[in-house]
Amino acid sequence: MANQCLPMSKLKQVLPSGAKDISFFEQVYEVVKLIPPGRVTSYGAIAFFLGTKMSARMVGWAMNAAHAMPDIPAHRVVNRKGLLTGKMHFETPTKMEECLAKENVKVLNDQIQDFEKVFWDPAVELS
DNA sequence: AGGCTGACATCGC
DNA sequence: CGCGATGCCAGCC
């Protein structure tokens, strides 16, 4: 598990220049890229922002593709509990935690501390 | 063509 | 209060 990845054959090789096949995947990337440092958001929040609130799963799936994108700080995206559920999908299981720690986001046992404080809601910040 | 899976979320028991 | 079951969409077998 955790290693077939590269959906869409690496998302058409990280989205070709044209990228007219803009699926909500790309929207997720944009939102994630807009997440300010030291802030985190949840799959559900992004899903809601994109209008697919019922399918937070797809956001997670999108992140899987984002995993192949260096510009996508996937470490800033966690589940609704602020738990680093996807850390095992990173280069190293601790990479996510380290990245967050670098941004002054306290993570204790895969759980983001003060999640409410660092939580960044695109539906609010980007509205 | 059909079915399973997946970095979630929410309700039910 | 804890675990189980269901819904969602898209990609992959």
Side-chain angles (χ1 to χ4, degrees), chain A residues 43 55-65:
Chain A
Y43 304 96
S55 323
R57 274 180 156 197
M58 294 299 79
V59 179
W61 190 243
M63 300 315 321
N64 204 89

Side-chain angles (χ1 to χ4, degrees), chain A residues 27-43:
Chain A
Q27 296 189 62
V28 173
Y29 304 146
E30 289 191 37
V31 175
V32 175
K33 283 196 281 190
L34 288 171
I35 300 175
R39 286 285 144 87
V40 296
T41 190
S42 64
Y43 304 96

Side-chain angles (χ1 to χ4, degrees), chain A residues 3-15 23-25 29 58-69 89:
Chain A
N3 241 334
Q4 293 199 48
C5 314
L6 287 329
M8 261 206 292
S9 292
K10 202 195 262 174
L11 242 153
K12 290 188 166 181
Q13 280 145 64
V14 193
L15 298 189
S23 29
F24 72 66
F25 282 58
Y29 304 146
M58 294 299 79
V59 179
W61 190 243
M63 300 315 321
N64 204 89
H67 179 235
M69 321 252 284
H89 285 264

